[in-house]
Amino acid sequence: MATFARLADMFLLRKLGGAGLEYLYRMGVMGLFLLKAFFYVFIPPLKFIRVVKRVHFIGFQSMLVIVLTGGFTGMVLGFQGYNSLSKFGSEAFLGPMVGLSLIKEMGPVLTALVVAGMAGSAITAEIGIMRITEQVDAMELMGLNPYRYLVVPNLLAIMISLPLLTAIFDVIGIFGGFLIGVKLLGVGTGTYFGEMASYMAMKDIMEGVYKSLSFGIIIVWVCCFKGYYTGVFTGFGAEGVSRATIQAVVLCFVLILAWDYFMTSLLF
Amino acid sequence: MIKVEDLHKSFDGNEVLKGLTLEVKRGEVIALIGGSGCGKSVLLKHVVGLMKPDRGCVIVDGKDLSTLRGRNLMQLRDRLGFLFQGGALFDSMTVFENVAFPLKEKTKLSDDLIRERVFQELERVSLSGSEHKYPSQISGGMVKRAALARALVTDPEIMLFDEPTTGLDPVIGLAILNLINACHERFSFTGIIVTHAIPKVFDIVDRVVMVHEGVIRGDGTPEELMDSSDPVIQAFVGNEGAA
Ligand SMILES: Nc1ncnc2c1ncn2[C@@H]1O[C@H](COP(=O)(O)OP(=O)(O)O)[C@@H](O)[C@H]1O
Ligand SMILES: [Mg+2]
């Protein structure tokens, strides 16, 4: 009986160890994937037309949703900020509060989450389907590098579009806060914008830009990786693609929020 | 030209290839036959380096595939054509763009010349008129023919066909085999044709190789295999088994 228990223990241990190793291995593969993607950014030829198409795909198609989310976020911030600040009689600081929250946190994070959910999941599904229908293999057999055609254009395109989308989000959000704070709740226009301008520094804006750039890299990294390894790591067929897509979006969300915390607490 | 030695491959404990050895000489075309799921596609993918052997080696044109990396591997692949069992056409491109893609990306030909080449190749597989359709808009047989055109358009030295005629009607199927034969006469590639088109394919190949349970069960000229006394081979190529 004791030996049996020992055997069972060993079996469990081996299973745990195996799972741990497998996990480490996958993380290694994922790290290499990002390195390779960056490597091919700098090795010509660059597929310029593909980059432009991807900017349209990632940037332009998410615009309406970004405008809506930005507007409502700003309006909510207007309400909540006014509520809290009026308790201390400092409604005058509504402008900087809305502006700083948007530019440093809400803008980059929410934009990244929206883009991860829209463009990111589409990227995973697209590459995943190409993988299971052997289109990626076909490309490789033509002597063409799949990274150059499938990953690099997305990487460059998101590094162009995400900061721009974030800027749009911020501006619309600030306007939403203005609508609520100034037009509805009666803070002065001059106070709202004047205080905002005096409390906001270039450093705050750059913090937002750095964040959105790094979120963009996270999105393309995770989503391309999950698509590229559909089949091997997630199982084949339509189910494999759907699993890869879900995993990609979830992992993007977690990494974006964790990385946001990390950047905020350590780097700024 | 192609040499496979003692090739072993298993997937999750399921051993598919169990020490398979095969040689194809320069300019030779062989037919690879065997039951569904016996590992024919897996073998072809090893020959082009899409899969890595668990044990054994694959030598193409004197080079061990497992030692080739990056540029060298790409150079080898430039001389190689592969017809996937499922076609593997790029589904975001039209038939024309698919066939033109390898020429556009790998050669410096002018757009006019590429156009001419592509239309010529599409004509050969009788797909003229469908060049602006997307892969999802054409039938399975047409997908396969478009994929064949894409594989042949670069005049490769080594051609691997994974079931070029499966899913086609007999007339088109025969036309495809004749096309493969004509291409071979034109630029005499070294070829492996995976097929169930027995005995039609026997007219255009030099040798027939049968895979069974992970190893080569029969290897010889079409006549030799048809006269074989091995019941497994007889079931496949014998007069009763002909399909
Ligand atoms: N990528 C893969 N992962 C796991 N199993 C595979 C893979 N590719 C092929 N197999 C298995 O290998 C066996 C042979 O497949 P295949 O070579 O496609 O057969 P066929 O001779 O019909 O072309 C099948 O049992 C299949 O399930
Ligand atoms: Mg097959």
Side-chain angles (χ1 to χ4, degrees):
Chain A
M1 209 48 213
T3 25
F4 180 73
R6 266 242 304 283
L7 270 177
D9 272 357
M10 265 171 65
F11 184 68
L12 191 72
L13 213 68
R14 183 192 281 182
K15 250 196 147 159
L16 273 176
L21 278 181
E22 174 73 17
Y23 198 76
L24 271 181
Y25 166 73
R26 285 186 190 190
M27 278 179 35
V29 174
M30 199 169 154
L32 276 180
F33 188 85
L34 184 65
L35 283 184
K36 270 197 201 162
F38 270 112
F39 178 72
Y40 284 108
V41 168
F42 298 106
I43 305 288
L46 180 67
K47 299 289 145 189
F48 185 71
I49 301 291
R50 280 180 178 254
V51 177
V52 175
K53 280 188 184 156
R54 295 321 276 192
V55 169
H56 176 261
F57 178 74
I58 297 173
F60 187 71
Q61 296 190 354
S62 319
M63 204 123 91
L64 182 63
V65 185
I66 291 297
V67 166
L68 286 174
T69 350
F72 282 113
T73 308
M75 281 153 70
V76 165
L77 280 176
F79 264 122
Q80 296 285 21
Y82 186 86
N83 249 341
S84 313
L85 290 172
S86 63
K87 284 187 186 136
F88 314 108
S90 37
E91 303 93 282
F93 296 116
L94 184 66
M97 207 221 97
V98 170
L100 283 176
S101 331
L102 277 171
I103 285 182
K104 290 169 69 139
E105 286 299 331
M106 310 286 270
V109 172
L110 288 179
T111 307
L113 294 184
V114 168
V115 169
M118 291 181 69
S121 61
I123 289 173
T124 306
E126 196 179 327
I127 300 182
I129 287 172
M130 291 186 75
R131 165 62 74 192
I132 62 168
T133 55
E134 301 180 314
Q135 293 174 50
V136 178
D137 292 333
M139 197 174 265
E140 226 172 287
L141 284 191
M142 288 174 187
L144 304 174
N145 191 305
Y147 285 84
R148 198 192 299 293
Y149 288 81
L150 302 176
V151 185
V152 170
N154 281 320
L155 193 58
L156 291 177
I158 206 161
M159 287 171 75
I160 295 167
S161 353
L162 201 59
L164 290 176
L165 286 172
T166 306
I168 294 174
F169 187 103
D170 293 343
V171 169
I172 303 279
I174 288 170
F175 182 71
F178 167 81
L179 273 186
I180 299 301
V182 175
K183 294 288 168 199
L184 193 69
L185 300 170
V187 177
T189 309
T191 319
Y192 185 80
F193 285 115
E195 292 292 327
M196 192 186 292
S198 60
Y199 276 94
M200 230 185 272
M202 197 58 193
K203 175 178 161 291
D204 301 316
I205 296 178
M206 288 320 286
E207 182 176 338
V209 173
Y210 293 143
K211 278 188 177 176
S212 72
L213 274 178
S214 55
F215 295 158
I217 295 171
I218 290 178
I219 294 173
V220 166
W221 175 29
V222 169
C223 293
C224 288
F225 171 79
K226 285 288 178 185
Y228 199 80
Y229 285 94
T230 301
V232 191
F233 288 162
T234 59
F236 290 88
E239 208 178 313
V241 175
S242 86
R243 208 173 297 141
T245 311
I246 294 169
Q247 287 175 3
V249 173
V250 171
L251 191 57
C252 273
F253 278 29
V254 173
L255 282 182
I256 286 169
L257 293 171
W259 180 246
D260 181 47
Y261 172 79
F262 184 75
M263 272 186 102
T264 309
S265 67
L266 283 182
L267 303 178
F268 297 98
Chain B
M1 191 74 168
I2 303 172
K3 222 169 167 178
V4 178
E5 271 168 23
D6 193 34
L7 182 60
H8 289 258
K9 182 73 179 180
S10 45
F11 298 101
D12 308 319
N14 164 28
E15 200 174 18
V16 177
L17 299 179
K18 308 171 186 173
L20 189 146
T21 299
L22 174 69
E23 187 173 354
V24 186
K25 294 190 187 64
R26 186 178 295 274
E28 192 180 32
V29 178
I30 70 163
L32 194 66
I33 61 174
S36 287
C38 72
K40 304 181 296 294
S41 300
V42 170
L43 174 59
L44 287 196
K45 284 181 185 166
H46 277 93
V47 172
V48 294
L50 280 178
M51 285 182 178
K52 304 256 174 299
D54 293 343
R55 214 165 82 217
C57 67
V58 179
I59 296 164
V60 178
D61 201 16
K63 296 181 200 79
D64 188 337
L65 276 192
S66 61
T67 63
L68 287 184
R69 291 252 155 15
R71 187 171 304 262
N72 293 331
L73 187 59
M74 291 241 175
Q75 268 166 6
L76 183 67
R77 281 176 172 171
D78 284 348
R79 299 160 46 204
L80 202 137
F82 194 102
L83 175 69
F84 284 87
Q85 193 166 356
L89 291 181
F90 300 122
D91 49 21
S92 58
M93 298 182 194
T94 63
V95 167
F96 176 87
E97 288 165 339
N98 261 289
V99 181
F101 191 69
L103 293 177
K104 262 205 186 109
E105 299 293 330
K106 299 299 295 190
T107 68
K108 295 200 168 23
L109 296 179
S110 70
D111 282 358
D112 285 338
L113 259 174
I114 291 181
R115 242 186 118 66
E116 201 177 301
R117 282 291 321 253
V118 172
F119 276 111
Q120 187 187 356
E121 210 64 47
L122 286 175
E123 171 95 52
R124 287 210 182 101
V125 294
S126 32
L127 270 184
S128 309
S130 305
E131 63 268 11
H132 294 301
K133 297 210 173 99
Y134 284 90
S136 56
Q137 298 171 316
I138 57 180
S139 74
M142 289 160 89
V143 166
K144 198 152 265 184
R145 281 182 280 151
L148 186 64
R150 187 179 69 179
L152 289 170
V153 77
T154 50
D155 293 355
E157 286 171 52
I158 300 173
M159 260 312 307
L160 306 175
F161 306 88
D162 200 346
E163 309 206 1
T165 58
T166 310
L168 302 182
D169 66 64
V171 178
I172 297 273
L174 192 60
I176 292 294
L177 289 181
N178 288 335
L179 171 69
I180 292 176
N181 198 27
C183 279
H184 182 247
E185 272 159 21
R186 197 147 48 89
F187 51 89
S188 70
F189 51 73
T190 307
I192 302 181
I193 309 176
V194 170
T195 184
H196 297 298
I198 302 163
K200 268 190 249 162
V201 74
F202 288 176
D203 297 336
I204 67 165
V205 295
D206 306 309
R207 242 168 73 206
V208 180
V209 171
M210 170 148 184
V211 182
H212 184 68
E213 292 180 344
V215 292
I216 301 292
R217 181 73 174 230
D219 183 348
T221 62
E223 294 75 28
E224 281 167 6
L225 253 77
M226 279 195 284
D227 295 339
S228 162
S229 55
D230 186 333
V232 177
I233 297 175
Q234 267 309 312
F236 245 81
V237 301
N239 294 325
E240 323 86 274

